[in-house]
């Protein structure tokens, strides 16, 4: 045994010292093997308790700590009783150790962490043995607490007392703490064992435990009182600290079990005064522990509402909390800017106590059937409301948020009462709501000493989250009394803005709040109209007459008044960035206001244009205002005159210069710097909005085409020159800056085009086209770069991006550029570009229609072959699966786009007709796959469209069908496939997505019927359905419904028919 013991100790020492590398792994393996041994606990127990030759313990703390871990492994989750020898050995060893170490010794003074670990191990032993083996556990323990007769000690042993407290705390945690229980894996055996232990403690020892804990606390309180009156001698200070520690842990222990033992034991005529005394004790830890204990007492579930009310009345916490809140707030004020985090945590604890008390009272007022209980609880709750508001108003957000649950419960109750009664709101409740609103509006402000621009991101996010929470309370109040909220918000905002306009000094956080309230008023004012009606009390005007209407003669709504005051106050010039940025966010949000008060447009744009916005020295400000300026211009473009547009354009020309930023690379050798550079967020991403706004401003000169063309050319010429220079600077892949410059300029040119209106199709009479010649020149310049640089993916991506926007603006007028564009996009091609490429072709088809015919004729064959090859490859992982599905859906979208745009002839052209059957077979495979319903639906949609264009009989005698014989393929292959899909076991018609596929099959079948007429009717009735063993009457019914019902009615009929036939099979 001695040799094993020494080996065990040496192994632990080596394992805990990684420096002994040669033996470290060997020691870990040895210890792992030992822990599997059934006798490991004997070694561990001996190592932990073995005394040293000169007192104390023989082995070092880290060895003894590991020994306790081994004991824990032995005892934890043990549900079979220990044998008598094992039990008695451990019990006697623990009691002897407690006597020698805690009663007569230093209580592990040199290794305090062992005290907590030993308490946990003792608890695990208790859980294994209390019911069957050691029912006298607490009796034996209490005997150790009283001072031995051989000492002069007259009070309880503090070391043993603290050990008892820690063990009871651990027991409460194991058998009753839901947080601890939910954190570990559920075990039915453990759950049942813990319940038995909990019931046994209640029955046998709860009263004695409670009496012992409270007696020790009371003794400690008496000692604290006596020692605080004595001189500050070192010995007295040590004794006082010891007494405080005992009382602190005693109250924590009391708090741990009040929730699961009889309330009559914990709330008595002695405990309540004791707890109230401790709630105001000079020691902060004691006050915090007491607040927690009272919180748990109040939250304890009681069966009878009357008992809960009686408990609350006995505690009389309302008055106590009122006084303590008042006292702590005065202390907080006297500290000024000196923060005492400890005392703030005490106020937070008081707030939590008030919150729980209030929530329990709300339950009584809302749920109790007894009117007298409800009435009395309501009175007590009303007494708490002013105190709750004071906590809510606390400058520290953690304290403020403690009463959020109570406030939410109260407002929910008020809302329910308002819904169920048409009576006016009770005056007392309206007064409370008014006070609440005042507190919320004050709390919505930033701290005056803070600077949001220099704040820690976490602190900033925390305040934004607090604002969001406060907004929910404001919204709830709004539902109860809309007028109260809208009037309060409007009044505060207007008063602040008017004061600023009148040169009254306004603090920055007050100014920001006023602007913020204007910003959120559109969300608050639920009764406001939409569009112009939200800001102006004008009669309804048809869309065509809005331009002719002079809205300036109509009065403004409340929100309109606020926005008007916002602009006219000049608060955009406030010398604080946060205020100015909130102004820009607000005006960009409510573009419709400027349509009814056009005189506000100019001062707003001036603010955006100067150093407050677009020309700010701070890149973060410029970046955001680029977007907000674009949004404002886009929303109010019809209110901007051509003269103002030219002026604005001149004001932003200097900002249309492109700078390339290179990202910091973590792994330069493995990362593609070009891809990283275009993926990394930079100010250029925001600058693209400015280029789009530029396009919008130029488009406003559409009535003077020459001027518009000259203006557009004056903007794009510098970019084209720089594009040419950058192209010449690219000699190879290492010229990263030049390549990125090309990418950025192409993107910018595309966004200028995006700022113009879309090219109409068909072109209406009198349409004033954009400067098409300039855009053709731009397109040709981009193509020159693409031809020279098509090996670089970033250039291909930028070209697709730009041409998508140029096509939208110019329509078919740039069609001649498309063949060259497609050829160069495909010259170097990565698989990951395929989806974007197909989407781009789809857009091109939409914009160019028949002008895409020749390009598609050349493209569709290789593209089909390429995609079928990709779809045939095995899927090896999640990313592959996503790419596979996305590729399939983009492909199907493209095919449907081709055929719906009447470009179906490309499939049967001389170049491609040989591949038509391969294409149709691939569609049938996709149509038969219910694992991807979206693709399945798209495949049937494509097949239905094929029938419409290729199987339509000739309209004139002697005429020829577009694709002779195609109907045979329909009857022999496609129709049987449709019915096969319906019978697949995976075709689950309870799935909504599958129902959509089912309805598309109905569309397809009806298309066959309507297109081929009597021939199709005869095919279904006499050939196909009989071959599927359908009864004659059912076949005739289906074919008749197919022919006669409208599409919507047939889809419903067919869906019900399939559902019924499935249910009956």
């Amino acid at each position: 045994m001695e040799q094993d013991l020494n080996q065990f100790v040496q192994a632990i020492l080596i394992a805990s010292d990684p420096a002994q590398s040669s033996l470290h792994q060997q020691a870990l393996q040895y210890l792992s093997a030992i822990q599997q041994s059934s006798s490991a606990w004997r070694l561990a127990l001996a190592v932990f308790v073995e005394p040293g030759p000169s007192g104390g313990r023989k082995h070092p703390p880290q060895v003894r700590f590991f020994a306790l871990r081994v004991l824990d492994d032995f005892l934890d989750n043990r549900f079979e009783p220990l044998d008598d020898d094992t039990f008695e050995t451990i019990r006697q060893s623990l009691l002897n150790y407690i006597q020698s170490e805690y009663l007569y010794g230093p209580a592990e003074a040199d290794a305090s962490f062992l005290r907590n670990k030993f308490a946990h191990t003792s608890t695990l032993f208790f859980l294994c043995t209390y019911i069957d083996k050691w029912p006298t556990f607490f009796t034996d323990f209490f005997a150790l607490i009283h001072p031995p007769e051989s000492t002069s000690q007259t009070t309880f042993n503090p070391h043993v007392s603290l050990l008892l407290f820690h063990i009871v705390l651990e027991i409460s945690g194991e058998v009753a703490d839901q947080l601890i229980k939910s954190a570990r894996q559920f075990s039915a055996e453990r759950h049942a064992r813990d319940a038995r232990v909990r019931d046994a403690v209640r029955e046998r020892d709860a009263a004695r435990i409670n009496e012992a804990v409270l007696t020790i606390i009371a003794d400690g309180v008496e000692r604290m009182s006596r020692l605080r009156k004595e001189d500050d001698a070192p010995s007295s200070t040590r004794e006082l600290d010891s007494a405080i520690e005992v009382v602190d842990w005693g109250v924590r222990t009391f708090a741990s079990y009040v929730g699961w033992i009889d309330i009559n034991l914990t709330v008595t005529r002695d405990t309540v005064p004791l707890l109230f005394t401790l709630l105001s004790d000079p020691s902060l830890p004691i006050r915090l522990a007491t607040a927690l204990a009272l919180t748990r007492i109040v939250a304890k579930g009681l069966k009878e509402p009357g008992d809960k009310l009686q408990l609350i009345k006995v505690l009389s916490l309302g008055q106590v909390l009122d006084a303590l809140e008042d006292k702590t707030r005065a202390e907080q004020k006297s500290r000024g800017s000196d923060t005492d985090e400890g005392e703030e945590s005490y106020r937070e604890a008081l707030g939590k106590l008030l919150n729980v008390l209030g929530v329990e009272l709300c339950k009584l007022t809302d749920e109790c059937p007894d009117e007298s209980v409800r009435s009395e609880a309501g009175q007590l709750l009303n007494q708490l409301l002013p105190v709750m508001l004071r906590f809510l108003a606390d400058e520290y957000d953690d304290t403020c948020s403690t009463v959020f649950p109570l406030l939410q419960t109260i407002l929910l109750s008020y809302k329910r009462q308002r819904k169920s009664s048409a009576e006016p709101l009770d005056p007392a409740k309206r007064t409370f709501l008014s006070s609440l609103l005042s507190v919320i509006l004050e709390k919505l402000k930033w701290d005056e000493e803070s600077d949001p621009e220099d704040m820690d991101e976490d602190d900033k996010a925390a305040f934004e989250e607090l604002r969001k929470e406060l907004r929910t309370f404001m919204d709830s109040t709004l539902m109860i009394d809309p007028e109260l909220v809208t009037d309060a918000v409007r009044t505060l905002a207007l008063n602040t803005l008017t004061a600023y306009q009148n040169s009254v000094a306004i603090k920055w956080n007050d100014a920001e709040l006023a602007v913020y309230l204007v910003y959120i008023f559109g969300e608050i004012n639920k009764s406001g109209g939409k569009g112009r009606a939200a800001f102006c009390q004008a009669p309804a005007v048809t869309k065509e007459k809005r331009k002719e209407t002079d809205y300036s003669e109509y009065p403004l709504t409340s929100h309109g008044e606020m926005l008007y005051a916002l602009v006219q106050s000049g608060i955009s010039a406030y010398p604080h960035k946060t205020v100015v940025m909130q102004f820009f966010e607000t005006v960009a949000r409510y573009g419709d206001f400027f349509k009814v008060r056009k005189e506000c447009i100019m001062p707003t744009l001036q603010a955006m244009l100067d150093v407050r916005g677009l020309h700010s020295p701070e890149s973060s400000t410029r970046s955001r205002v680029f977007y907000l300026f674009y949004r404002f211009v886009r929303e109010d473009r019809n209110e901007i005159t051509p003269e103002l547009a030219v002026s604005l354009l001149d004001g932003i020309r200097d900002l249309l210069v492109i700078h390339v930023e290179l990202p910091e690379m973590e792994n330069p050798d493995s990362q593609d710097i070009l891809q990283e550079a275009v993926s990394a967020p930079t100010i250029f991403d925001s600058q693209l909005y400015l280029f789009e706004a530029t396009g919008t401003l130029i488009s406003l000169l559409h009535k003077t085409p020459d001027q518009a063309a000259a203006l557009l050319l004056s903007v794009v010429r510098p970019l084209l020159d720089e594009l040419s220079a950058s192209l010449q600077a690219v000699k190879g892949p290492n010229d990263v800056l030049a390549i990125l410059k090309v990418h950025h300029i192409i993107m910018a040119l595309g966004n200028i085009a995006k700022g113009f209106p879309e090219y109409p199709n068909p072109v209406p009479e009198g349409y004033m086209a954009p400067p098409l010649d300039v855009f053709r020149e731009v397109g040709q310049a981009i193509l020159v770069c693409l031809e020279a640089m098509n090996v670089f993916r970033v250039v291909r991506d930028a070209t697709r991006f730009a041409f998508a926007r140029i096509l939208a603006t110019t329509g078919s007028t740039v069609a001649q550029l498309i063949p060259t564009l497609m050829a160069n996009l495909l010259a170097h091609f990565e698989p990951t570009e395929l989806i974007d490429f197909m989407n781009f072709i789809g857009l091109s088809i939409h914009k160019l229609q028949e002008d895409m015919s020749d390009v598609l004729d050349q493209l569709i064959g290789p593209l089909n072959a390429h995609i079928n090859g990709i779809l045939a490859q095995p899927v090896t992982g999640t990313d592959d699966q996503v790419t596979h599905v996305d590729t399939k859906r983009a492909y199907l979208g493209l095919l449907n786009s081709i055929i719906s745009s009447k470009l179906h002839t490309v499939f049967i052209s001389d170049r491609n007709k040989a591949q038509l059957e391969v294409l149709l077979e691939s569609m049938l495979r996709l149509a038969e796959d219910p694992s991807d319903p979206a693709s399945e639906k798209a495949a049937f949609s494509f097949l239905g469209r094929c029938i419409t264009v290729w199987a339509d009989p000739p309209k004139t005698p002697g005429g020829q069908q577009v694709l002779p014989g195609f109907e045979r393929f329909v009857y022999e292959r496609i129709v049987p496939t449709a019915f096969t899909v319906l019978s697949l076991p995976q075709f689950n018609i309870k799935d909504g997505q599958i129902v959509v596929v089912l309805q598309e099959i109905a569309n397809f079948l009806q298309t066959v019927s309507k297109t081929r007429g009597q021939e199709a009717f005869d095919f279904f009735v006499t050939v196909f359905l009989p071959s599927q063993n359908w009864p004659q009457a059912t076949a005739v019914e289906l074919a008749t419904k197919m022919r006669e019902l409208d599409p919507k009615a047939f889809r419903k009929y067919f869906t019900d028919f399939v559902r019924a036939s499935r249910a009956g099979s």
Side-chain angles (χ1 to χ4, degrees):
M1 175 75 173
E2 187 65 30
Q3 184 180 357
D4 289 344
L5 210 66
N6 289 333
Q7 266 191 314
F8 183 58
V9 171
Q10 286 304 311
I12 296 170
L13 289 170
I14 293 168
S16 61
D17 183 9
Q20 300 193 38
S21 55
S22 57
L23 297 173
H24 188 254
Q25 196 60 38
Q26 193 177 337
L28 289 173
Q29 289 169 353
Y30 168 78
L31 290 174
S32 178
I34 282 286
Q35 284 177 276
Q36 306 304 316
S37 164
S38 59
S39 61
W41 67 269
R42 290 185 184 276
L43 279 176
L45 183 64
V47 165
F48 179 72
V49 300
E50 188 173 6
S54 56
R57 299 293 145 188
K58 179 177 179 180
H59 302 293
Q62 68 266 37
V63 171
R64 297 176 62 228
F65 185 85
F66 185 85
L68 287 177
R69 281 178 54 190
V70 174
L71 279 172
D72 287 354
D73 289 341
F74 174 66
L75 297 169
D76 200 11
N77 289 319
R78 173 174 289 279
F79 307 112
E80 295 297 321
L82 295 170
D83 63 76
D84 291 345
D85 176 57
T86 301
F87 163 68
E88 195 55 42
T89 302
I90 297 175
R91 187 185 80 89
Q92 201 54 54
S93 296
L94 295 185
L95 286 175
N96 291 341
Y97 163 74
I98 292 169
Q99 277 189 319
S100 62
E101 187 66 40
Y102 285 83
L103 198 56
Y104 299 110
E108 304 288 2
D110 295 332
S112 58
F113 62 90
L114 283 175
R115 292 201 289 262
N116 293 335
K117 187 64 178 171
F118 176 67
H120 181 67
T121 306
S122 301
T123 300
L124 295 179
F125 185 57
F126 164 84
L127 292 171
C128 293
T129 58
Y130 178 65
I131 292 175
D132 302 317
K133 293 280 187 183
W134 199 2
T136 59
F137 176 89
F138 289 108
T139 306
D140 295 349
F141 213 106
F142 296 152
L144 297 171
I145 295 175
H146 292 283
E149 293 177 6
S150 59
T151 69
S152 59
Q153 196 175 345
T154 58
T155 186
F156 299 103
N157 183 293
H159 298 322
V160 183
S161 298
L162 286 169
L163 179 60
L164 170 68
F165 291 157
H166 281 288
I167 290 174
V168 175
L169 272 164
E170 289 276 352
I171 292 170
S172 288
E174 290 291 326
V175 303
D177 192 312
Q178 293 305 317
L179 200 63
I180 293 174
K181 283 174 171 289
S182 63
R184 66 187 175 215
Q185 190 170 2
F186 178 78
S187 158
E189 280 185 297
R190 182 169 193 153
H191 185 71
R193 191 274 312 272
D194 290 349
R196 289 196 302 273
V197 170
R198 194 167 59 241
D199 291 342
V201 171
R202 284 177 181 143
E203 185 180 335
R204 298 175 188 170
D205 289 307
R208 275 179 290 186
I209 293 169
N210 185 57
E211 182 184 3
V213 169
L214 290 171
T215 303
I216 295 168
I217 292 172
D219 178 73
V221 170
E222 190 279 324
R223 277 197 298 146
M224 287 193 309
S225 177
R226 175 172 50 79
L227 290 164
R228 280 169 177 159
K229 293 173 185 174
E230 294 180 4
D231 296 334
D232 290 339
S235 59
S236 296
T237 303
R238 280 195 301 275
E239 276 191 66
L240 178 58
D241 289 344
S242 172
I244 289 172
E245 184 182 15
V246 167
V247 174
D248 172 25
W249 283 99
V251 177
R252 293 195 209 188
T253 305
F254 176 79
S256 76
Y257 62 69
V258 292
W260 61 278
I261 71 170
D262 187 352
I263 193 73
N264 293 312
L265 295 176
T266 53
V267 180
T268 67
R269 67 183 62 182
D270 296 323
T271 56
V272 173
L274 175 64
L275 290 171
F276 282 173
T277 300
L278 296 177
L279 193 59
S280 302
D281 193 83
S283 165
L284 175 65
I286 290 174
R287 279 183 278 139
L288 292 174
T290 308
L292 176 62
L294 286 166
T295 302
R296 289 184 174 172
I297 289 172
V298 172
K300 183 175 173 61
L302 298 177
K303 287 183 180 177
E304 294 299 324
D307 292 345
K308 172 60 74 124
L309 179 63
Q310 190 58 35
L311 169 64
I312 291 172
K313 286 165 66 179
V314 165
L315 292 173
S316 298
L317 274 169
Q319 294 173 331
V320 174
L321 286 168
D322 190 353
L324 286 174
E325 190 286 325
D326 200 45
K327 176 174 177 283
T328 53
R329 183 160 38 86
E331 290 169 352
Q332 185 187 65
K333 192 173 181 181
S334 69
R335 287 193 294 271
S337 58
D338 295 333
T339 302
D340 186 329
E341 291 189 7
E343 292 302 325
E344 294 309 331
S345 68
Y346 176 53
R347 266 185 71 77
E348 193 179 329
L350 294 175
K352 289 177 181 175
L353 175 54
L354 176 96
N355 178 71
V356 169
L357 176 61
V359 168
E360 293 299 320
L361 286 168
C362 284
K363 288 177 186 174
L364 294 176
T365 59
D366 289 348
E367 300 167 14
C368 179
D370 188 330
E371 171 58 34
S372 62
V373 171
R374 284 205 312 273
S375 174
E376 203 166 350
Q379 291 173 15
L380 292 171
L381 179 62
N382 288 334
Q383 291 169 18
L384 290 185
L385 296 184
V387 192
M388 181 196 71
L389 289 178
R390 297 206 298 271
F391 276 114
L392 184 68
D394 194 286
E395 64 178 292
Y396 291 95
D397 296 341
D398 287 344
T399 303
C400 159
S401 60
T402 58
V403 294
F404 282 2
L406 172 57
L407 180 54
Q408 188 175 22
T409 307
I410 290 169
L411 292 174
L412 185 61
S413 176
Y414 282 16
K415 281 195 282 187
R416 284 201 208 101
Q417 292 167 26
R418 285 296 281 161
K419 280 184 180 177
S420 61
S421 171
E423 296 294 315
L425 192 65
D426 176 69
K429 288 178 180 172
R430 200 167 202 273
T431 302
F432 164 71
L433 291 176
S434 181
S435 302
L436 168 64
L437 205 51
S438 298
V439 173
I440 289 174
L441 290 171
E442 187 64 27
K443 285 295 295 179
L444 282 170
K445 283 196 289 193
W446 289 94
D447 179 10
E448 187 187 353
E449 304 302 318
S450 300
D451 182 356
E453 303 311 316
D454 293 331
M455 266 174 103
D456 178 82
E457 282 302 317
D458 289 342
D459 291 341
K460 195 171 179 179
F463 178 72
E464 296 291 358
E465 187 59 34
L466 176 71
R467 263 191 169 174
K468 195 185 295 181
E469 291 268 16
L470 293 168
R471 278 287 314 283
T472 64
F473 299 136
M474 190 186 281
D475 289 345
S476 296
T477 310
L478 181 88
M479 294 176 72
I480 301 161
D481 193 336
E483 189 181 339
L484 181 72
V485 177
T486 53
D487 284 354
V489 171
R490 174 180 174 276
T491 302
L492 178 57
L494 287 177
N495 286 350
T496 306
L497 293 169
T498 304
Y500 182 77
Q501 189 173 4
N502 293 331
S503 303
V504 176
I506 301 289
K507 293 177 182 176
W508 81 264
N509 55 341
D510 287 318
E512 192 277 342
L513 176 63
V515 184
Y516 175 73
L517 292 176
V518 182
Y519 178 79
I520 65 171
F521 194 81
E523 300 166 31
I524 294 171
N525 187 26
K526 301 289 194 297
S527 61
K530 301 294 182 186
R532 292 173 174 84
F535 310 104
C536 180
Q537 300 172 35
V541 178
T542 60
K543 191 173 182 180
E544 295 74 30
K545 293 189 176 179
R546 283 177 194 163
K547 286 187 179 180
E548 306 164 16
T549 305
D550 181 6
Y551 288 93
S552 64
E553 63 187 50
Y554 297 109
L556 294 170
T557 62
S558 292
H559 200 189
E561 288 178 7
M562 293 166 72
L563 279 158
Y564 190 79
L566 178 74
V567 176
Q568 298 299 325
S569 68
I571 205 157
S572 61
Y574 195 95
H576 196 288
K577 178 184 171 184
T578 306
V579 178
V580 178
M581 288 306 296
Q582 189 62 64
F583 171 85
F584 290 146
E585 296 285 349
T586 305
V587 293
R589 188 179 209 188
Y590 297 114
D592 278 325
F593 164 75
F594 296 89
K595 297 171 184 176
V596 301
R597 288 297 182 268
K598 298 180 183 180
E599 66 270 26
C600 292
I601 292 176
M602 198 63 202
T604 301
L605 286 171
Q606 283 173 340
M608 283 187 165
L609 236 62
D610 64 24
V611 291
R612 290 169 280 180
L614 294 173
H615 286 87
S616 168
E618 295 181 41
S619 63
S620 60
T621 300
R622 292 198 306 277
S623 177
R624 182 62 182 163
V625 181
F626 284 160
Y627 167 73
L628 296 174
F629 175 74
Y630 144 78
R631 184 174 168 181
F632 187 90
V633 167
R634 183 192 63 184
E635 183 71 23
D636 291 299
R637 60 186 178 277
N638 293 331
E639 318 308 323
I640 296 174
T641 64
E643 295 75 27
L644 178 55
V646 173
S647 173
L648 291 172
L649 203 54
D650 288 339
I652 62 172
R653 279 183 190 277
D654 60 318
L655 301 171
L656 303 178
V657 177
I658 293 172
H659 298 287
V660 174
E661 296 176 48
L662 290 180
E664 291 184 15
M665 306 284 281
E666 291 182 11
N667 303 301
D669 296 335
S670 61
Q671 290 175 287
D672 181 347
I673 188 167
L674 290 174
Q675 284 299 329
E676 291 296 324
V678 297
S679 302
T682 66
I683 196 169
F684 175 69
D685 300 326
S686 301
Q687 197 179 13
L688 283 173
Y689 287 113
L690 195 62
F691 283 107
E692 186 174 342
T694 300
T696 301
L697 291 171
I698 296 170
S699 73
L700 298 178
L701 281 77
H702 63 276
K703 291 183 179 178
T704 52
D706 291 344
Q707 187 184 6
L711 205 56
L712 177 60
L713 198 58
S714 73
V715 171
V716 301
R717 176 59 62 206
L719 292 172
L720 294 176
D721 291 344
E722 201 167 1
L723 184 65
S724 177
S726 300
L727 174 60
Q728 291 171 22
V730 177
K731 306 300 181 190
N734 293 328
D735 296 315
V736 175
L737 284 173
I739 296 168
L740 289 173
K741 196 67 168 289
V742 169
H743 167 274
H744 285 16
I745 294 171
I746 292 174
M747 298 276 286
L749 291 166
N751 257 39
I752 291 172
K754 189 183 176 187
F756 282 76
E758 286 207 8
Y759 198 81
N761 186 17
V763 178
E765 190 178 341
Y767 175 70
M768 305 292 288
L772 298 175
D773 290 342
V774 179
F775 281 120
R776 265 193 291 270
E777 184 181 346
V778 168
Q780 285 166 342
I782 293 172
L783 280 183
V784 169
C785 289
L786 178 65
E787 284 184 278
M789 300 175 65
N790 57 22
V791 294
F792 300 112
R793 173 164 182 174
V794 294
V795 176
R796 298 195 299 272
D797 288 345
T799 302
R800 276 199 310 272
F801 173 93
F803 260 92
R805 283 143 184 80
I806 292 170
L807 277 173
T809 300
T810 61
S812 60
T813 58
V814 294
Q816 71 274 21
L817 303 179
I818 298 302
T820 308
L821 171 68
M822 295 296 180
N824 280 285
L825 287 175
L826 289 171
H828 298 274
F829 196 76
E830 293 178 22
T832 50
E833 291 177 78
L834 187 59
I835 294 169
D836 287 340
F837 182 68
M838 286 192 285
N839 291 337
F840 176 69
I841 296 172
L843 174 76
S844 303
I845 290 169
H846 175 66
K847 289 297 172 187
L848 301 179
Q849 298 292 315
E850 63 274 8
D851 289 316
M852 275 292 288
S853 182
D854 289 343
V855 173
L856 278 175
D857 191 35
Q858 298 170 43
L859 196 61
I860 200 67
L863 190 62
N864 283 339
H866 187 65
I867 290 171
N868 284 325
I870 289 174
L871 296 181
Q873 291 174 5
V875 176
T876 55
T878 306
D879 289 346
D880 268 6
Q881 177 69 30
V882 171
T883 304
H884 186 88
V885 170
D886 288 347
T887 302
K888 185 173 25 170
R889 291 180 184 176
Y891 175 52
L892 286 162
L894 175 61
L895 294 179
N896 275 300
S897 178
I898 292 171
I899 206 158
S900 62
S901 298
K902 300 180 181 177
L903 296 171
H904 50 85
T905 53
V906 300
F907 295 115
I908 55 174
S909 68
D910 291 342
R911 181 185 277 113
N912 298 315
K913 61 185 177 185
Q915 297 300 313
L916 179 61
E917 193 168 347
V918 175
L919 170 65
L920 292 171
E921 289 291 346
S922 71
M923 288 299 104
L924 288 175
R925 282 195 299 277
L926 295 178
E928 288 176 314
D929 180 11
S931 68
D932 182 5
S935 296
E936 196 175 18
K937 175 187 180 298
F940 273 112
S941 176
F942 176 76
L943 292 168
R945 287 182 166 126
C946 288
I947 290 162
T948 303
V949 296
W950 292 331
D952 196 17
K955 297 291 186 280
T956 56
Q960 193 173 19
Q961 192 172 298
V962 173
L963 191 61
F966 183 60
E967 70 278 5
R968 288 197 303 277
F969 185 82
V970 173
Y971 293 145
E972 293 169 10
R973 295 288 288 110
I974 309 181
V975 170
T977 295
F979 280 88
T980 301
V981 168
L982 295 176
S983 62
L984 290 172
Q986 311 95 299
F987 197 78
N988 177 15
I989 54 174
K990 292 180 181 177
D991 183 334
Q993 290 181 296
I994 295 294
V995 171
V996 172
V997 177
L998 175 59
Q999 292 179 341
E1000 193 59 49
I1001 293 174
N1003 288 339
F1004 160 76
L1005 293 174
Q1006 195 170 35
T1007 300
V1008 174
S1009 173
K1010 300 271 186 184
T1011 303
R1012 299 302 298 182
Q1014 187 63 36
E1015 174 194 284
F1017 183 88
D1018 294 343
F1019 167 75
F1020 282 117
V1021 171
T1022 63
V1023 180
F1024 179 71
L1025 294 177
S1027 75
Q1028 305 297 307
N1029 299 317
W1030 281 47
Q1032 179 68 19
T1034 308
V1036 171
E1037 180 190 338
L1038 176 67
T1040 303
K1041 298 284 188 185
M1042 208 184 292
R1043 180 170 64 183
E1044 295 178 356
L1045 291 179
D1046 65 70
K1048 182 178 179 182
F1050 181 68
R1051 282 197 299 271
K1052 183 180 185 310
Y1053 163 81
F1054 191 68
T1055 303
D1056 293 342
F1057 179 86
V1058 172
R1059 195 173 275 131
S1061 64
R1062 278 268 180 135
S1065 60

